[in-house]
Amino acid sequence: MLPYLLGEIGYESFIEDGDMLLAYIQEKDFSEQSIRSLLESSGDMCANVDYTWSKVEDKDWNEEWEREGFEPIVVADRMIIHDSRHLPEKVYPIDMVIDAKLAFGTGTHQTTNMMLQALMKLYDEHYKGRVTRLLDCGCGTGILGIAARKLGVDEVWAYDIDEWSVRNTADNSRKNGIDNLHAVCGDVTVLGREIIGSFDIVMANINRNILLADVAHFSNVLQTGGYLVVSGFYQSDSAVIEREFEKCKLVLCDNSIVNDDWTCMVFQRV
């Protein structure tokens, strides 16, 4: 419940560390008074909650990760994801090389893994192996778009607010021999400007606040009958996600995935 309450006042990501919850917010949005007000208004629910805060050190947090890499990850016994340092011992139908350079998305996190599972299921069951266009919102390493092209999606467009992520997506696309994957730098406002047209599938593995802020834009570029796949939030956020998405002609499908309280939901535009 605490992540849900903090999400209401702008906190974007959370990490559980024993009895502690690490919550992150943009510096410009931080207010200690907001925390005090939240704890006071929540009554007994947060009666035993104490907190401290500090500014996160400005450094390359991916440096060690990039140096060490990660062990190969298998998704749904069909796809294997590995970096350039760790080659797989077994062959799978879909093989992806993903090197993370200042970007999120290798398949190790529950949200990325669930998004990949949902994408494969959609592609197989609803499209019978035929998807013309897919949009990846907040592309990170480019893993979702690369997976889509390897599945057989004709064309992928992607965007991210981080220039490093856009470069990482292009680099990983080349390493996988992928073409027709176009990544641009910017936020949701690139839709209708740099990224034109509608899409069969829209994917967004971001956080609940951005999802709620941008859902109308996602719906506008999604074809009627198309699917929106989202993750990056806790199960406690599912109700508000469903309620707000429904206002944008998006109906929840009966195939949500939950992993360690992280949730992936699939919606269809009506």
Side-chain angles (χ1 to χ4, degrees):
M1 181 57 71
L2 188 55
Y4 174 82
L5 295 174
L6 290 170
E8 290 289 319
I9 60 172
Y11 284 78
E12 298 180 347
S13 61
F14 309 93
I15 299 174
E16 293 181 4
D17 184 7
D19 294 333
M20 292 194 304
L21 177 71
L22 304 178
Y24 296 88
I25 189 172
Q26 296 287 333
E27 184 177 7
K28 63 181 178 60
D29 299 325
F30 173 74
S31 165
E32 188 174 8
Q33 181 57 49
S34 295
I35 300 176
R36 291 200 196 101
S37 299
L38 171 66
L39 296 178
E40 290 171 0
S41 63
S42 59
D44 293 341
M45 188 183 305
C46 298
N48 297 319
V49 173
D50 194 9
Y51 73 92
T52 60
W53 65 270
S54 62
K55 183 178 178 181
V56 176
E57 181 184 355
D58 186 13
K59 60 177 287 187
D60 179 3
W61 293 96
N62 267 11
E63 183 178 359
E64 183 175 353
W65 174 265
E66 294 170 18
R67 184 172 60 250
E68 299 297 329
F70 62 95
E71 292 297 323
I73 301 156
V74 177
V75 181
D77 201 33
R78 179 180 177 188
M79 173 186 294
I80 190 161
I81 307 160
H82 60 92
D83 61 21
S84 299
R85 301 173 182 82
H86 301 85
L87 301 180
E89 297 179 356
K90 181 180 175 182
V91 175
Y92 287 83
I94 301 174
D95 183 299
M96 285 199 293
V97 181
I98 298 294
D99 288 321
K101 296 180 180 179
L102 294 173
F104 174 82
T106 59
T108 57
H109 196 274
Q110 295 93 326
T111 58
T112 310
N113 198 292
M114 291 187 294
M115 293 286 285
L116 291 168
Q117 292 180 52
L119 173 61
M120 287 189 283
K121 186 173 182 179
L122 272 180
Y123 189 76
D124 293 341
E125 296 182 2
H126 295 278
Y127 288 96
K128 307 301 181 185
R130 177 68 181 182
V131 179
T132 301
R133 301 185 87 214
L134 179 144
L135 173 67
D136 180 11
C137 310
C139 54
T141 62
I143 186 171
L144 298 179
I146 293 168
R149 287 288 290 124
K150 283 184 173 281
L151 278 169
V153 174
D154 294 336
E155 182 182 20
V156 172
W157 282 84
Y159 69 86
D160 200 294
I161 61 172
D162 184 2
E163 179 63 36
W164 276 105
S165 293
V166 174
R167 295 179 186 177
N168 201 186
T169 293
D171 184 51
N172 283 323
S173 296
R174 286 191 294 270
K175 289 179 179 178
N176 285 275
I178 294 297
D179 61 1
N180 228 15
L181 195 166
H182 317 280
V184 301
C185 187
D187 59 14
V188 73
T189 59
V190 300
L191 300 181
R193 196 174 64 215
E194 286 93 338
I195 299 178
I196 308 297
S198 59
F199 295 86
D200 302 292
I201 298 175
V202 174
M203 307 194 77
N205 184 15
I206 315 178
N207 65 65
R208 69 153 242 169
N209 292 333
I210 295 179
L211 291 174
L212 292 173
D214 294 351
V215 60
H217 297 279
F218 300 157
S219 182
N220 287 340
V221 298
L222 188 60
Q223 293 182 4
T224 300
Y227 292 90
L228 171 64
V229 186
V230 294
S231 191
F233 52 90
Y234 286 111
Q235 193 171 12
S236 57
D237 295 315
S238 297
V240 67
I241 293 286
E242 181 179 1
R243 183 173 65 249
E244 295 303 312
F245 280 31
E246 191 174 48
K247 296 176 183 178
C248 296
K249 301 181 180 179
L250 296 163
V251 177
L252 180 65
C253 301
D254 188 25
N255 56 349
S256 296
I257 309 171
V258 178
N259 188 337
D260 289 339
D261 204 32
W262 291 101
T263 303
C264 174
M265 301 172 76
V266 180
F267 294 83
Q268 186 173 29
R269 191 181 190 282
V270 295

PDB file of all heavy atoms in Angstrom, residues 181-196:
ATOM      1  N   LEU A 181      13.774  -0.929 -37.398  1.00  0.00           N
ATOM      2  CA  LEU A 181      13.489  -0.527 -36.025  1.00  0.00           C
ATOM      3  C   LEU A 181      14.010   0.901 -35.883  1.00  0.00           C
ATOM      4  O   LEU A 181      15.211   1.145 -35.944  1.00  0.00           O
ATOM      5  CB  LEU A 181      14.169  -1.464 -35.013  1.00  0.00           C
ATOM      6  CG  LEU A 181      13.680  -1.388 -33.554  1.00  0.00           C
ATOM      7  CD1 LEU A 181      14.201  -2.594 -32.762  1.00  0.00           C
ATOM      8  CD2 LEU A 181      14.095  -0.108 -32.841  1.00  0.00           C
ATOM      9  N   HIS A 182      13.103   1.835 -35.694  1.00  0.00           N
ATOM     10  CA  HIS A 182      13.442   3.256 -35.689  1.00  0.00           C
ATOM     11  C   HIS A 182      13.251   3.827 -34.283  1.00  0.00           C
ATOM     12  O   HIS A 182      12.145   3.783 -33.746  1.00  0.00           O
ATOM     13  CB  HIS A 182      12.560   4.013 -36.675  1.00  0.00           C
ATOM     14  CG  HIS A 182      12.377   3.303 -37.980  1.00  0.00           C
ATOM     15  ND1 HIS A 182      13.323   3.321 -38.974  1.00  0.00           N
ATOM     16  CD2 HIS A 182      11.357   2.526 -38.431  1.00  0.00           C
ATOM     17  CE1 HIS A 182      12.895   2.601 -40.004  1.00  0.00           C
ATOM     18  NE2 HIS A 182      11.704   2.105 -39.700  1.00  0.00           N
ATOM     19  N   ALA A 183      14.307   4.364 -33.694  1.00  0.00           N
ATOM     20  CA  ALA A 183      14.240   4.931 -32.349  1.00  0.00           C
ATOM     21  C   ALA A 183      14.523   6.418 -32.393  1.00  0.00           C
ATOM     22  O   ALA A 183      15.472   6.859 -33.049  1.00  0.00           O
ATOM     23  CB  ALA A 183      15.229   4.226 -31.424  1.00  0.00           C
ATOM     24  N   VAL A 184      13.712   7.208 -31.683  1.00  0.00           N
ATOM     25  CA  VAL A 184      13.890   8.653 -31.632  1.00  0.00           C
ATOM     26  C   VAL A 184      13.952   9.100 -30.174  1.00  0.00           C
ATOM     27  O   VAL A 184      13.428   8.432 -29.275  1.00  0.00           O
ATOM     28  CB  VAL A 184      12.756   9.396 -32.366  1.00  0.00           C
ATOM     29  CG1 VAL A 184      12.695   8.984 -33.822  1.00  0.00           C
ATOM     30  CG2 VAL A 184      11.411   9.143 -31.690  1.00  0.00           C
ATOM     31  N   CYS A 185      14.578  10.228 -29.937  1.00  0.00           N
ATOM     32  CA  CYS A 185      14.736  10.757 -28.585  1.00  0.00           C
ATOM     33  C   CYS A 185      13.619  11.749 -28.283  1.00  0.00           C
ATOM     34  O   CYS A 185      13.349  12.659 -29.067  1.00  0.00           O
ATOM     35  CB  CYS A 185      16.092  11.438 -28.432  1.00  0.00           C
ATOM     36  SG  CYS A 185      16.467  11.950 -26.730  1.00  0.00           S
ATOM     37  N   GLY A 186      12.964  11.553 -27.145  1.00  0.00           N
ATOM     38  CA  GLY A 186      11.899  12.452 -26.741  1.00  0.00           C
ATOM     39  C   GLY A 186      10.891  11.751 -25.857  1.00  0.00           C
ATOM     40  O   GLY A 186      11.017  10.557 -25.572  1.00  0.00           O
ATOM     41  N   ASP A 187       9.868  12.512 -25.426  1.00  0.00           N
ATOM     42  CA  ASP A 187       8.805  11.910 -24.631  1.00  0.00           C
ATOM     43  C   ASP A 187       7.607  11.632 -25.527  1.00  0.00           C
ATOM     44  O   ASP A 187       7.739  11.573 -26.756  1.00  0.00           O
ATOM     45  CB  ASP A 187       8.433  12.808 -23.446  1.00  0.00           C
ATOM     46  CG  ASP A 187       7.970  14.191 -23.890  1.00  0.00           C
ATOM     47  OD1 ASP A 187       7.675  14.393 -25.100  1.00  0.00           O
ATOM     48  OD2 ASP A 187       7.900  15.089 -23.038  1.00  0.00           O
ATOM     49  N   VAL A 188       6.433  11.458 -24.927  1.00  0.00           N
ATOM     50  CA  VAL A 188       5.257  11.062 -25.696  1.00  0.00           C
ATOM     51  C   VAL A 188       4.879  12.070 -26.782  1.00  0.00           C
ATOM     52  O   VAL A 188       4.159  11.736 -27.725  1.00  0.00           O
ATOM     53  CB  VAL A 188       4.068  10.823 -24.719  1.00  0.00           C
ATOM     54  CG1 VAL A 188       3.542  12.146 -24.187  1.00  0.00           C
ATOM     55  CG2 VAL A 188       2.973  10.004 -25.369  1.00  0.00           C
ATOM     56  N   THR A 189       5.387  13.295 -26.681  1.00  0.00           N
ATOM     57  CA  THR A 189       5.048  14.311 -27.677  1.00  0.00           C
ATOM     58  C   THR A 189       5.653  14.027 -29.052  1.00  0.00           C
ATOM     59  O   THR A 189       5.314  14.703 -30.022  1.00  0.00           O
ATOM     60  CB  THR A 189       5.497  15.709 -27.209  1.00  0.00           C
ATOM     61  OG1 THR A 189       6.912  15.707 -26.990  1.00  0.00           O
ATOM     62  CG2 THR A 189       4.786  16.105 -25.919  1.00  0.00           C
ATOM     63  N   VAL A 190       6.540  13.034 -29.146  1.00  0.00           N
ATOM     64  CA  VAL A 190       7.070  12.673 -30.466  1.00  0.00           C
ATOM     65  C   VAL A 190       5.997  11.999 -31.313  1.00  0.00           C
ATOM     66  O   VAL A 190       6.121  11.942 -32.547  1.00  0.00           O
ATOM     67  CB  VAL A 190       8.304  11.743 -30.359  1.00  0.00           C
ATOM     68  CG1 VAL A 190       9.422  12.412 -29.589  1.00  0.00           C
ATOM     69  CG2 VAL A 190       7.940  10.392 -29.761  1.00  0.00           C
ATOM     70  N   LEU A 191       4.934  11.483 -30.658  1.00  0.00           N
ATOM     71  CA  LEU A 191       3.859  10.835 -31.401  1.00  0.00           C
ATOM     72  C   LEU A 191       3.082  11.879 -32.198  1.00  0.00           C
ATOM     73  O   LEU A 191       2.650  12.901 -31.660  1.00  0.00           O
ATOM     74  CB  LEU A 191       2.913  10.100 -30.442  1.00  0.00           C
ATOM     75  CG  LEU A 191       3.558   9.007 -29.587  1.00  0.00           C
ATOM     76  CD1 LEU A 191       2.512   8.340 -28.695  1.00  0.00           C
ATOM     77  CD2 LEU A 191       4.252   7.966 -30.461  1.00  0.00           C
ATOM     78  N   GLY A 192       2.940  11.631 -33.479  1.00  0.00           N
ATOM     79  CA  GLY A 192       2.290  12.586 -34.357  1.00  0.00           C
ATOM     80  C   GLY A 192       3.241  13.604 -34.928  1.00  0.00           C
ATOM     81  O   GLY A 192       2.867  14.413 -35.782  1.00  0.00           O
ATOM     82  N   ARG A 193       4.488  13.587 -34.461  1.00  0.00           N
ATOM     83  CA  ARG A 193       5.498  14.520 -34.955  1.00  0.00           C
ATOM     84  C   ARG A 193       6.610  13.729 -35.650  1.00  0.00           C
ATOM     85  O   ARG A 193       6.621  13.607 -36.858  1.00  0.00           O
ATOM     86  CB  ARG A 193       6.055  15.355 -33.798  1.00  0.00           C
ATOM     87  CG  ARG A 193       6.806  16.589 -34.231  1.00  0.00           C
ATOM     88  CD  ARG A 193       7.194  17.434 -33.023  1.00  0.00           C
ATOM     89  NE  ARG A 193       8.126  16.738 -32.132  1.00  0.00           N
ATOM     90  CZ  ARG A 193       8.135  16.864 -30.807  1.00  0.00           C
ATOM     91  NH1 ARG A 193       7.235  17.618 -30.206  1.00  0.00           N
ATOM     92  NH2 ARG A 193       9.037  16.236 -30.086  1.00  0.00           N
ATOM     93  N   GLU A 194       7.534  13.142 -34.870  1.00  0.00           N
ATOM     94  CA  GLU A 194       8.550  12.268 -35.476  1.00  0.00           C
ATOM     95  C   GLU A 194       8.005  10.874 -35.788  1.00  0.00           C
ATOM     96  O   GLU A 194       8.466  10.218 -36.726  1.00  0.00           O
ATOM     97  CB  GLU A 194       9.772  12.125 -34.563  1.00  0.00           C
ATOM     98  CG  GLU A 194      10.664  13.343 -34.507  1.00  0.00           C
ATOM     99  CD  GLU A 194      10.318  14.264 -33.367  1.00  0.00           C
ATOM    100  OE1 GLU A 194       9.170  14.217 -32.874  1.00  0.00           O
ATOM    101  OE2 GLU A 194      11.193  15.029 -32.962  1.00  0.00           O
ATOM    102  N   ILE A 195       7.063  10.433 -34.986  1.00  0.00           N
ATOM    103  CA  ILE A 195       6.480   9.100 -35.180  1.00  0.00           C
ATOM    104  C   ILE A 195       5.041   9.277 -35.659  1.00  0.00           C
ATOM    105  O   ILE A 195       4.187   9.780 -34.936  1.00  0.00           O
ATOM    106  CB  ILE A 195       6.523   8.283 -33.874  1.00  0.00           C
ATOM    107  CG1 ILE A 195       7.974   8.100 -33.418  1.00  0.00           C
ATOM    108  CG2 ILE A 195       5.848   6.926 -34.062  1.00  0.00           C
ATOM    109  CD1 ILE A 195       8.128   7.346 -32.110  1.00  0.00           C
ATOM    110  N   ILE A 196       4.794   8.849 -36.872  1.00  0.00           N
ATOM    111  CA  ILE A 196       3.516   9.095 -37.537  1.00  0.00           C
ATOM    112  C   ILE A 196       2.738   7.797 -37.707  1.00  0.00           C
ATOM    113  O   ILE A 196       3.311   6.722 -37.909  1.00  0.00           O
ATOM    114  CB  ILE A 196       3.736   9.743 -38.919  1.00  0.00           C
ATOM    115  CG1 ILE A 196       4.636  10.979 -38.799  1.00  0.00           C
ATOM    116  CG2 ILE A 196       2.412  10.105 -39.575  1.00  0.00           C
ATOM    117  CD1 ILE A 196       4.047  12.078 -37.967  1.00  0.00           C
TER     118      ILE A 196
END
